[in-house]
Amino acid sequence: MARIGVINISDGRDHVHTRNASFIQSKQDALVRSLSAAGHEVVAGADLVATNALATSVARGVAAAGVDVTIFCYAVWAFPHFTMLAADATRTPLILLASTDPTEPGLVGMLAAGGALDQIGRAHTRLWGAPDDAGLVAAVGAEARAAAAVASLRGSTFGRFGGRPMGMNTAVANTDQWMRQFGVDVEEIDQYELVLRAEKADAAEAAKAREWIEAHAAGVHYDGKKLTPELLERQLRSYLAIRDIIAERNLDFSGIKGQPELTEHFATMDVTEAFLNDPYDWNGPKEVHVTATEADMDGALTMQLFHQISGDPVLFADVRHYHADRDIWDLCNSGQHATWYAARSDDPAENLARVNFYPEVFFFPAGGASVQHIAAPGRMTLGRLTREAGRYRLQLMLGEFESYDDETNDELVRQSTPEWPHAFARLDVDGPAFLSKFGANHIHAVPGDRRPELRAVAKLLGVRLDEWTRG
């Protein structure tokens, strides 16, 4: 969860502040309790702000605690210039929060402060309500998680293994723009480094991993050609190799080109990418390392934001097919889906019991295993950062993953590539509208309705929000 600063702004007249101080403090205490109960870490200001000196010192103290977002609270009428001074002393996103207790003019204080910030162009979000109101706490949480996700990008490093895949322009972003707009550096790593490291990786550890997969997966379908135990272990050694490179180079998220060099001459990266995106491997729980196939930079950036907001693995898929008769999209990609999506369980065995490892198809002569399953049903937030004339936009929608009886699932899967993973999605957008406007061939998803956080992300990043609904 987020780290939230809370500062209460008061009236600058001594006799008025003295009268109101206990009332203001009671509102602050109630808000801190509510936010703490929701799982956030709260840093309250050292004092109520009733002088210009306190406006600066209290805000600096909260800022020094490294908060993700700062709330200025208005339980009473508050001198607006205190807000201006406090805002100047912090660089975090700001929330102006007004108490709606009618016994005091908190709304008046917030509106006066907000207007003053508007005049100097300082962006902020305005919220209002009782400090124990669940809706208000949820709204604050969404803003705070968005602020934390955006802040996490700054100073991070993206590991780009290989270059542009198969002429895919949407997979390549401007590194200068990334640093300027998002604070993200790009570390370029040749895929040959991965090959060399994989060849030297721990063979015993790879064999252990293979045996774990064989013991828990729905099936490992060796064919003696495209998929053998040796090829599966090569993919697992690639996973071990890239884990070492991530640690050595302090990479925060990554992308692997794969095609055509690795898929033609070494092995596919499906198993490697799936387990990097999973919250576990054969040695138990681990951190998710967001990894995009085809070194898709904007895809990886989207996934990193989705992951930072939700804490969950993030789906990466091609927009493969629209079943117009069912109003269902087949979101399918060569093995990129994390195995977690098979059942979305904390127990790896429960997920893997629904995952098959099939020999790769004709696209990939080098062979290896594809990671096949049908994503578990449930509500999803889907979208992607795309660019139009060089400017970023966040294309966002809600949807549902669906699953059917075995006969229907088999029929739908066999209409595309049955060896690959599939998510059957009913999107909250008309099919023709989506196909006419969506700015990439890759789309990303995370469980639940995360639109409130992502709306705030778009605002904080200064990108256009294209939120789609039906009608």
Side-chain angles (χ1 to χ4, degrees), residues 399-421:
E400 291 277 341
F401 282 1
E402 297 185 357
S403 187
Y404 315 103
D405 59 83
D406 290 344
E407 182 179 352
T408 303
N409 282 337
D410 187 62
E411 176 192 348
L412 293 172
V413 162
R414 291 192 177 280
Q415 290 184 46
S416 59
T417 305
E419 294 88 352
W420 292 353

Side-chain angles (χ1 to χ4, degrees), residues 163-465:
R164 185 179 70 174
M166 302 183 297
M168 200 178 298
N169 289 16
T170 55
V172 181
N174 184 310
T175 57
D176 291 339
Q177 184 178 12
W178 266 33
M179 177 53 72
R180 181 178 65 253
Q181 191 166 356
F182 309 120
V184 178
D185 186 39
V186 178
E187 178 78 5
E188 300 283 357
I189 307 164
D190 196 286
Q191 291 185 118
Y192 189 49
E193 178 78 6
L194 193 159
V195 172
L196 286 177
R197 295 289 192 98
E199 290 173 348
K200 299 175 182 177
D202 189 336
E205 185 70 8
K208 173 185 172 183
R210 173 182 56 77
E211 291 168 359
W212 177 77
I213 291 171
E214 291 171 346
H216 292 94
V220 181
H221 303 274
Y222 296 120
D223 66 351
K225 297 178 181 178
K226 283 292 194 69
L227 180 57
T228 64
E230 293 77 18
L231 273 171
L232 179 55
E233 288 186 21
R234 180 181 293 178
Q235 292 175 296
L236 291 162
R237 292 200 312 274
S238 299
Y239 169 80
L240 295 173
I242 202 168
R243 286 283 301 269
D244 286 344
I245 296 169
I246 288 165
E248 289 175 12
R249 303 201 184 195
N250 299 304
L251 305 179
D252 296 283
F253 59 121
S254 301
I256 306 173
K257 178 186 178 186
Q259 300 188 69
E261 297 86 4
L262 299 181
T263 58
E264 297 278 335
H265 306 294
F266 185 64
T268 61
M269 291 295 104
D270 297 22
V271 173
T272 298
E273 291 162 346
F275 284 121
L276 285 168
N277 282 299
D278 269 325
Y280 51 75
D281 61 16
W282 54 92
N283 288 317
K286 67 171 185 65
E287 292 295 321
V288 167
H289 183 85
V290 162
T291 309
T293 196
E294 295 167 333
D296 184 344
M297 294 177 67
D298 288 341
L301 186 64
T302 304
M303 293 170 71
Q304 184 72 346
L305 283 167
F306 280 19
H307 173 61
Q308 291 296 324
I309 285 168
S310 68
D312 291 326
V314 183
L315 192 83
F316 178 116
D318 281 335
V319 183
R320 175 63 182 267
H321 181 66
Y322 179 50
H323 293 277
D325 58 330
R326 297 174 178 269
D327 192 26
I328 291 294
W329 298 86
D330 184 358
L331 307 182
C332 170
N333 184 273
S334 171
Q336 171 66 23
H337 297 200
T339 68
W340 182 82
Y341 272 91
R344 297 205 303 279
S345 171
D346 292 334
D347 181 0
E350 186 176 348
N351 299 321
L352 287 169
R354 304 184 184 191
V355 177
N356 283 281
F357 292 77
Y358 284 115
E360 279 293 10
V361 298
F362 71 94
F363 292 110
F364 310 128
S370 61
V371 183
Q372 192 272 349
H373 59 80
I374 294 174
R379 171 159 285 195
M380 294 283 155
T381 301
L382 301 100
R384 179 183 168 95
L385 285 165
T386 63
R387 283 163 287 146
E388 185 176 40
R391 300 188 66 179
Y392 274 95
R393 60 191 176 180
L394 176 60
Q395 296 186 296
L396 182 65
M397 69 213 75
L398 201 62
E400 291 277 341
F401 282 1
E402 297 185 357
S403 187
Y404 315 103
D405 59 83
D406 290 344
E407 182 179 352
T408 303
N409 282 337
D410 187 62
E411 176 192 348
L412 293 172
V413 162
R414 291 192 177 280
Q415 290 184 46
S416 59
T417 305
E419 294 88 352
W420 292 353
H422 299 262
F424 298 121
R426 190 178 301 277
L427 304 183
D428 191 19
V429 58
D430 294 328
F434 177 89
L435 288 171
S436 297
K437 295 293 185 181
F438 195 65
N441 49 306
H442 296 153
I443 193 168
H444 316 284
V446 72
D449 184 356
R450 295 294 182 173
R451 291 175 301 172
E453 291 97 330
L454 289 165
R455 291 172 190 138
V457 162
K459 182 178 177 181
L460 291 170
L461 290 176
V463 305
R464 189 177 91 209
L465 177 64

